[in-house]
Amino acid sequence: MKNLLILGAARGGKTTLARMVNEKFGLGIIAVDALVSAFEEKFPQLGIKHHSDEAKEWRRLFLRI
């Protein structure tokens, strides 16, 4: 299975593009914000939160994988 990572500025059309790719090729969509929210809710001991320096660092590390 191939993965496609769509990056860009806020309000740059990433979600719109992802939906178009989903419709045309049937690829799933996972938003990084959804992952951050899931970790924030299910693993509060990790201290991952939206709009924090730690969240920015976690996203940076996640995207390097």
Side-chain angles (χ1 to χ4, degrees):
M1 172 184 245
K2 293 186 180 189
N3 297 308
L4 176 65
L5 181 61
I6 300 172
L7 301 171
R11 307 214 25 105
K14 299 178 298 290
T15 300
T16 301
L17 178 60
R19 288 180 181 148
M20 291 168 58
V21 169
N22 172 263
E23 288 176 13
K24 183 164 183 159
F25 300 107
L27 296 176
I29 299 171
I30 301 174
V32 173
D33 284 341
L35 291 172
V36 172
S37 293
F39 275 92
E40 184 177 10
E41 180 181 329
K42 298 297 181 184
F43 302 101
Q45 68 273 22
L46 296 177
I48 297 171
K49 302 205 180 293
H50 279 285
H51 311 296
S52 69
D53 290 336
E54 292 85 9
K56 290 175 188 172
E57 178 66 11
W58 184 84
R59 287 184 203 133
R60 184 187 68 76
L61 292 172
F62 173 77
L63 293 174
R64 289 181 66 188
I65 293 174

